[in-house]
Amino acid sequence: MKPLADFEFPSDRRGFLRRAVRLEAITIAYLLSVLVLFGLVYDGTQIIKAELVEVGLSLTAPIAFLVAQPFRERSPSVQFPYGFHRVVSIAFLVASVGLVALGAFLFLDSGLSLIQVHRPTIGSIEVFGRVIWRGWLFLPILVWSVVPAVFLGRAKAEPSRRLHDKVLYADAEMNRADWKTGLTAILGILGIALGFWWADSLAALLISFNILLDGGKNLRACVFDLMDRVPHRVDDAAVEALPARIATELKKLDWVRDARVRLREAGHVFLGEAFVAPVHHRDLMPRVAEARDRLLRLDWRLHEVVIQLEEGATDEAGSS
């Protein structure tokens, strides 16, 4: 089996990988700065509690990406003949479960506070000899928690597609959507300032609901991929076209009467089988080897294709 060190990412993708690693490291440092700032002014309000949880959970995707990166570069072994491509998906699966669990807890907690008519009391703090309402300090921190995140999300979008990395893409999507939770929190703080007590719990309820949606979407994608679902594009919006391309390429060969293809995703690479019905049985061994090499040149993500000869192959869902 081809060593992953030589295959994992071709030379023209390594630049995108280095950029992704750099962006994830910057993201972690940035989110930690947000957590520190929130921690300095936190006073127990539901809004800021929800933001703290949301920012803390946002750390899971970049940490999962960076921690898993050295492992997926390992070569296959006797115990793991297919390599370690899926280690990122497994790491993100664990993170997604945590996202759903904490999002559900926060949603129930915020809902209970709303039902119990919990009135927030945002106190004051002395800054450079002046007493300032904490709510005004929350606003610039909330802006800081949103604006850089949106730009980081946009910067990660291209590397995630170029690397076919669904964890990186999910992280980019969460970063780009952070303006929604940030705006919700800002409106909640302004609502409290205007005397609307329910703005605290309502804003926290909306933020936690957004956490639940993100967690549920990511969890669904992780589970389906680990169940060897038909390969999908990195944005999960449509079925991947590669199986159909492989079948079309095989049918172009003069010795192939029919072909169907079955692929599965292993992290960001594809492995699978091609079932080929030959026109004749002359010189099939070299023809099969040539066809396999030809297929592997179709797409850098295609790691391994096993060509199996059979008497009659008909088109099925996997090749259309």
Side-chain angles (χ1 to χ4, degrees), residues 223-293:
V223 170
F224 281 6
D225 285 346
L226 291 172
M227 290 175 64
D228 289 334
R229 177 183 60 168
V230 173
H232 278 59
R233 289 184 345 201
V234 70
D235 59 5
D236 211 38
V239 173
E240 172 62 47
L242 186 55
R245 287 176 56 202
I246 294 173
T248 300
E249 196 69 20
L250 284 170
K251 291 174 185 178
K252 291 179 182 178
L253 301 176
D254 57 8
W255 60 274
V256 174
R257 183 174 71 249
D258 200 1
R260 57 189 176 91
V261 176
R262 181 173 64 195
L263 288 187
R264 64 183 183 277
E265 290 183 76
H268 59 281
V269 303
F270 296 152
L271 307 99
E273 302 81 31
F275 301 92
V276 174
V279 174
H280 54 75
H281 292 79
R282 296 190 304 272
D283 303 320
L284 283 182
M285 290 299 291
R287 291 176 186 271
V288 167
E290 182 183 354
R292 184 189 64 237
D293 293 340

Side-chain angles (χ1 to χ4, degrees), residues 107-158:
F107 185 82
L108 293 174
D109 185 50
S110 303
L112 190 61
S113 295
L114 189 63
I115 294 172
Q116 293 177 340
V117 193
H118 175 74
R119 297 177 181 272
T121 54
I122 301 180
S124 301
I125 187 173
E126 186 174 334
V127 180
F128 302 118
R130 299 185 62 181
V131 178
I132 301 176
W133 184 55
R134 288 177 184 265
W136 302 131
L137 296 178
F138 291 155
L139 297 180
I141 299 174
L142 285 169
V143 172
W144 172 245
S145 73
V146 171
V147 177
V150 173
F151 286 103
L152 282 169
R154 289 178 178 175
K156 295 174 190 175
E158 185 182 8

